[in-house]
Amino acid sequence: MELAIFYAFAVLAIGSALMVVSLKNTTRALFLFFVVLFAMAGLFLFALADFVAITQILVYVGGVLILMIFAFMLSNKELLADLQNTSSKFLSLPNWQSLLLAVGFFAVLAYGIWEWHEHTPMWITENIRSGEVIQSSDNNIQHLGVHFMTKYLLPFEVISIFLLVALIGAAHLSRKEENA
Amino acid sequence: MITLTHFLVVSAILFCIGLYAMVSKRNAIMVLIGIELIINAAILNFVAFGRYDKVNYGGQVFALFAIVLAAAAVAVGLAIILNVYRKYKTINPDNITDLRD
């Protein structure tokens, strides 16, 4: 049962991601990207990362995609128009090359996963044997909060300053210049 | 209980779809979406591995950092795309060859 729901989420994520990259209409692809992110949040739940899943929905679906749609609406409507006027055929040359690249990369990754499958790293087997694996009955959010405020305090501050810097930079870049 | 291999395969497929979008698309916003797909595949890997590390919670903590990183990347990327469109009247990455004129 659990496996069936996992497969349903995986098929939903992969199928809508395939549709995102194959659709010509940018607006529709953007809205399908919502579906991909929701399905990814569902997949995070199966790794017992409930807080990460909620953050995914809040930050990505609530923030990033709304930002993208606002950027669309604030800009000219040529931005939304279909720019791929030359590649009407499915297998035109750039598509063909990049498909080859993607499939080749996937072959390498799949070979790596298949080789890796027999040699599970030492720390994973150690932790499974000593029982230090996250269980579904754990209080994830409390553990995360304690770790953020003790062990990961410096990276947390650094990433917050980084986000502040990036947002100020984005605001500076998108400002309208008066005489230019 | 779902094994690690399932997560790794799903993540690899999503990574390759993102790679395809990054290489083949002629629209900078679709390239940005490809980058987001790749970051999401990485986050899925972090989370799947972090399940086996209860002492440090490193996977989930780093996944949250990666989400923040992706949000920053989208903000800066969209600002750059809007600026480039204002200057060149196109967002096709093939036609944008100069950083300044």
Side-chain angles (χ1 to χ4, degrees), chain A residues 24 78-79 81-86, chain B residues 26-28 90-92:
Chain A
K24 289 265 196 295
E78 286 88 17
L79 207 60
D82 184 16
L83 293 168
Q84 313 184 350
N85 44 6
T86 56
Chain B
R26 308 261 180 83
N27 186 336
T90 178
I91 52 171
N92 188 345

Side-chain angles (χ1 to χ4, degrees), chain A residues 47-59:
Chain A
L48 301 180
D50 42 3
F51 188 68
V52 180
I54 290 298
T55 312
Q56 166 99 351
I57 291 176
L58 275 180
V59 173

Side-chain angles (χ1 to χ4, degrees), chain B residues 55-75:
Chain B
V55 184
N56 290 321
Y57 265 73
Q60 296 192 16
V61 170
F62 213 97
L64 291 170
F65 286 164
I67 289 176
V68 173
L69 202 72
V74 165

Side-chain angles (χ1 to χ4, degrees), chain A residues 33-64:
Chain A
F33 193 52
F34 274 93
V35 181
V36 180
L37 293 179
F38 271 119
M40 293 296 288
L43 287 180
F44 294 163
L45 286 183
F46 282 93
L48 301 180
D50 42 3
F51 188 68
V52 180
I54 290 298
T55 312
Q56 166 99 351
I57 291 176
L58 275 180
V59 173
Y60 259 110
V61 185
V64 170

Side-chain angles (χ1 to χ4, degrees), chain A residues 21 86 127 140 151 173, chain B residues 25-26 36 52 56-57 83:
Chain A
V21 298
T86 56
N127 280 358
N140 258 329
K151 190 180 288 176
L173 275 177
Chain B
K25 288 297 176 184
R26 308 261 180 83
E36 296 301 307
Y52 295 98
N56 290 321
Y57 265 73
N83 252 5

Side-chain angles (χ1 to χ4, degrees), chain A residues 13-14 22-23 37 40 43 54 77 79 82-83 85 92 94 97 131 135 152 155 160 162:
Chain A
I14 292 169
S22 64
L23 280 178
L37 293 179
M40 293 296 288
L43 287 180
I54 290 298
K77 64 171 182 262
L79 207 60
D82 184 16
L83 293 168
N85 44 6
S92 57
Q97 284 168 332
Q135 305 291 333
Y152 298 108
S160 61
F162 173 80

